[in-house]
Amino acid sequence: MIDEKRAFPRKAVSLSTNIFDIETNAVLGECILTDVSKNGFAVESEVVLSIGQKFGLRFTILNKDILLTGEVVRVDNGFFFILYGSRIVDEFCENLEFFRKYIDYSLI
């Protein structure tokens, strides 16, 4: 078994949403959010992204609209599509602290 080296452990999720371009706000395609942590998340998508590219996700948790902006740091094979590991870009997110508290207290 490999020891987890991340400062914040991942928590598995399964949420379908859209990936959008943060500069133009244009929807690039659909994705599945597969795991989250306080500093990052992973999505699977048919959308082609590259390392360093920034993108956004919008979804609702407990009646709060969440905007997560990520920067691709890893590209791998996912279960269905391409898997993108991303770090959260704090300055472009909305309701990020609420999202982080939700991760801490609501996800197992």
Side-chain angles (χ1 to χ4, degrees), residues 1 3-6 8-9 11-12 25 29 31 36 40 43 52-53 60 65 67-68 71 73 85 88 91-92 103-104:
M1 187 162 109
D3 290 335
E4 179 67 52
K5 295 181 181 179
R6 291 178 178 84
F8 301 104
K11 299 197 178 179
N25 217 24
C31 72
V36 296
V43 295
Q53 185 173 354
T60 302
D65 292 328
L67 165 62
L68 276 188
E71 179 179 354
V73 295
I88 293 174
E91 63 267 23
F92 296 113
I103 291 171
D104 277 344

Side-chain angles (χ1 to χ4, degrees), residues 48-96:
V48 176
L49 302 171
S50 56
I51 291 184
Q53 185 173 354
K54 292 184 176 113
F55 65 95
L57 306 176
R58 284 194 183 94
F59 49 90
T60 302
I61 296 175
L62 300 175
N63 295 323
K64 281 239 191 233
D65 292 328
I66 306 295
L67 165 62
L68 276 188
T69 300
E71 179 179 354
V72 178
V73 295
R74 181 175 51 87
V75 179
D76 207 346
N77 292 323
F79 190 77
F80 294 109
F81 306 110
I82 303 168
L83 177 72
Y84 297 103
S86 306
R87 74 169 184 87
I88 293 174
V89 183
D90 292 26
E91 63 267 23
F92 296 113
C93 295
E94 294 174 11
N95 292 320
L96 182 57

